Amino acid sequence: MAERAALEELVRLQGERVRGLKQQKAGAEQIEEEVAKLLKLKAQLGPDEGKHKFVLKTPKDFDIAGQFDPMIPDAECLKIICEILHSLQIGDFLVKVNDRRILDGMFAVCGVPDSKFRTICSSVDKLDKVSWEEVKNEMVGEKGLAPEVADHIGDYVQQHGGVSLVEQLLQDPKLSANKQALEGLGDLKLLFEYLTLFGIADKISFDLSLARGLDYYTGVIYEAVLLQTPAQAGEEPLGVGSVAAGGRYDGLVGMFDPKGRKVPCVGLSIGVERIFSIVEQRLEALEEKVRTTETQVLVASAQKKLLEERLKLVSELWDAGIKAELLYKKNPKLLNQLQYCEETGIPLVAIIGEQELKDGVIKLRSVARREEVDVRREDLVKEIKRRTSQPLCIC
C-alpha cells in the first residue's frame, strides 16, 4: 500500500510538471518526452477497479472515411471572432488565415532543410512588423539559409488575397505537387466557401506570411488585427498587434490519451488586455473618464449631523433596486463628496440638507452637467430610474 501511495505521488508531481511546461509554452518535443514519462508511471499503477477511467472520445460524426468536415467548426470560430470584434466597436478589422500544411509544403518546395522549418517559420511570422528585406537578411545572415531559397520563399509569403489566391496556388505546379500543401489549399478553398455562406468572406484574407509561433497547430491558423486608421488629434497611432487568434490542433489532446487516438480540436482566444488598452487609449484621447464603479447615485449631505438621514435614504434606494452608496465619514464636506463622484464616474448625487428635509425634497445633482433640481422624496426613485435608464453621460 505504501509503495502504491509513493507511486501515486510521483504521478501527481509528473502531471504538475507537464502542466507547467504547457503553461510555459515549452517545445513540443520536451512536452511529449515528459508526457511519455507520465504515461509510464501511470502504467506502473496498473488497473484500479475502484476508479472510473477517463476516456477521450471523438465526435460521433467523425470517422476516418472523411464524413466529418473540419472546416465547418473552423468557419464557425472565424464567425465568432467577427461577431465579437464587430460588437465591441473598436474599429475596422481583418482576420488573416493560413494553414501550417501550406507553410511546411511551401518550405519544402523552396528547398528549406527539414531541420530549419520551425526557425524559418519564426522569421516569416515577423513580416507583419518588419520589411521583407529585414526578414530575408535574418534568414540568410543569422540562420544560414541560401539566398536563392530565401528569394523563392519571398515570392510566396508576400502574397495575400481571397479564394482567388487559393485557386491560383492550386495551379502552381510545384506547390500542388506537395501532398501537405495540396491538402491545406483544398481545405482553405472549402473554408472560403463556408465563410461566404456566413457572410464574412470580405473580412478574411488568405495571408501566406501568417505563421503563428506555436508548434502544435496542425491545420488552419488565423489571427485578427485592427486596421490602422488616421490618428485623430491628440491620439497616438495604435500598435497592439493581434486582438484575436486561434487555429486547429488535432494532435495536441491525443498526446494525453494512452492509446494515442487522434482527437480533432479547434479553438480561438480573444486578446482582452489588448482590447482594453485600445478602449482606454481612445477614451483618453476623447478626454472621457472610465467609470470605475457601477454606483448610480451617491447619497450626500450638505450640512453636519445628517448621517442618520443619509443612511435612511440609501436604504430606501437599495430597497428599490438602485445602486447607491455613501461616504462612511460622519460629517464629510459636500465638496469632497462631489469630487468623489467625479473621480469614480458616479453620474448622480442625491443631496440632503436641513432645508430639503423641511420641504420634503431631495436635491438631485447631475455630476456631468453640474445642474441641480429639487425632487419630491416620494418621486426620487422614479426620477433616478428614468435618468439612469438613458445612455451614460446624459443624466
Side-chain angles (χ1 to χ4, degrees):
M1 185 66 72
E3 291 181 1
R4 183 175 182 83
L7 191 54
E8 288 177 345
E9 178 62 15
L10 288 175
V11 169
R12 186 187 68 79
L13 292 173
Q14 184 64 17
E16 289 182 354
R17 173 165 175 73
V18 171
R19 287 190 292 273
L21 289 173
K22 287 177 60 183
Q23 291 174 353
Q24 297 166 16
K25 297 181 180 179
E29 292 184 3
Q30 185 180 5
I31 293 177
E32 289 178 4
E33 182 180 345
E34 296 302 324
V35 168
K37 293 179 182 178
L38 175 60
L39 296 177
K40 188 175 180 180
L41 287 171
K42 286 185 175 181
Q44 294 179 40
L45 283 174
D48 189 342
E49 301 299 332
K51 295 183 179 180
H52 294 288
K53 293 183 178 179
F54 174 71
V55 179
L56 294 169
K57 294 183 178 181
T58 57
K60 291 181 180 179
D61 58 350
F62 174 81
D63 63 64
I64 302 175
Q67 293 181 10
F68 173 72
D69 188 344
M71 291 301 102
I72 295 176
D74 288 56
E76 286 184 304
C77 284
L78 292 168
K79 175 69 170 174
I80 290 170
I81 288 177
C82 289
E83 287 179 348
I84 291 174
L85 295 181
H86 178 74
S87 65
L88 290 173
Q89 298 182 347
I90 55 175
D92 201 9
F93 62 90
L94 184 71
V95 183
K96 299 185 290 184
V97 301
N98 199 0
D99 193 295
R100 290 303 286 264
R101 294 167 297 177
I102 297 175
L103 278 170
D104 288 347
M106 177 188 67
F107 290 148
V109 302
C110 289
V112 178
D114 292 351
S115 60
K116 291 183 180 291
F117 272 23
R118 296 280 76 82
T119 185
I120 297 302
C121 186
S122 67
S123 296
V124 169
D125 203 32
K126 298 176 182 178
L127 269 175
D128 62 335
K129 303 178 182 69
V130 300
S131 68
W132 163 246
E133 287 303 318
E134 291 176 272
V135 170
K136 178 184 176 181
N137 290 337
E138 179 181 298
M139 291 192 297
V140 175
E142 299 178 20
K143 299 184 177 180
L145 198 66
E148 60 272 17
V149 173
D151 288 334
H152 199 177
I153 292 173
D155 293 337
Y156 283 113
V157 298
Q158 295 182 80
Q159 299 184 66
H160 54 83
V163 68
S164 60
L165 178 57
V166 178
E167 293 171 343
Q168 175 187 323
L169 293 176
L170 281 168
Q171 302 302 316
D172 185 306
K174 291 184 178 180
L175 204 57
S176 60
N178 182 276
K179 182 181 177 182
Q180 277 189 302
L182 187 61
E183 289 177 354
L185 288 168
D187 279 352
L188 270 192
K189 183 177 180 180
L190 183 60
L191 177 65
F192 269 98
E193 291 181 14
Y194 295 152
L195 296 176
T196 300
L197 293 174
F198 285 164
I200 58 170
D202 61 326
K203 287 293 185 182
I204 313 297
S205 172
F206 173 29
D207 192 326
L208 281 156
S209 69
L210 178 64
R212 300 287 295 153
L214 302 176
D215 289 343
Y216 57 69
Y217 285 122
T218 58
V220 174
I221 51 178
Y222 36 85
E223 185 175 270
V225 295
L226 293 183
L227 298 178
Q228 291 285 348
T229 56
Q232 298 179 5
E235 184 176 349
E236 293 293 328
L238 296 172
V240 296
S242 64
V243 292
R248 177 161 289 278
Y249 43 97
D250 288 344
L252 185 62
V253 175
M255 291 168 52
F256 301 95
D257 182 10
K259 295 184 179 180
R261 285 168 291 193
K262 186 177 180 181
V263 180
C265 298
V266 65
L268 62 95
S269 63
I270 303 295
V272 176
E273 291 186 359
R274 292 184 175 186
I275 289 173
F276 279 167
S277 297
I278 295 167
V279 173
E280 289 176 353
Q281 184 173 338
R282 289 183 173 172
L283 288 175
E284 288 176 3
L286 295 172
E287 296 184 349
E288 292 184 8
K289 292 185 178 180
V290 180
R291 288 194 64 185
T292 60
T293 177
E294 291 186 343
T295 301
Q296 297 168 307
V297 57
L298 179 79
V299 175
S301 57
Q303 289 95 23
K304 296 181 178 180
K305 299 180 180 180
L306 291 175
L307 175 59
E308 290 184 4
E309 295 298 333
R310 284 193 291 144
L311 290 172
K312 287 179 185 178
L313 181 56
V314 81
S315 180
E316 290 176 20
L317 298 179
W318 288 341
D319 290 342
I322 292 174
K323 297 175 181 177
E325 66 174 282
L326 74 165
L327 298 188
Y328 295 144
K329 287 186 176 181
K330 286 185 177 182
N331 299 303
K333 293 181 180 180
L334 181 58
L335 180 59
N336 291 343
Q337 295 171 90
L338 297 179
Q339 286 179 339
Y340 174 76
C341 291
E342 291 186 355
E343 291 170 359
T344 57
I346 298 175
L348 296 171
V349 189
I351 304 173
I352 301 173
E354 293 175 356
Q355 188 61 47
E356 285 77 16
L357 288 173
K358 292 179 182 178
D359 296 340
V361 298
I362 300 293
K363 196 175 293 293
L364 191 61
R365 178 184 176 93
S366 167
V367 176
R369 294 177 177 176
R370 299 188 177 183
E371 295 175 352
E372 298 176 350
V373 293
D374 287 341
V375 180
R376 296 205 60 81
R377 187 156 183 153
E378 59 266 26
D379 297 331
L380 182 63
V381 168
K382 182 179 179 181
E383 179 64 17
I384 291 174
K385 287 186 175 181
R386 184 188 70 80
R387 295 191 180 208
T388 55
S389 66
Q390 297 175 356
L392 291 179
C393 299
I394 298 298
C395 57

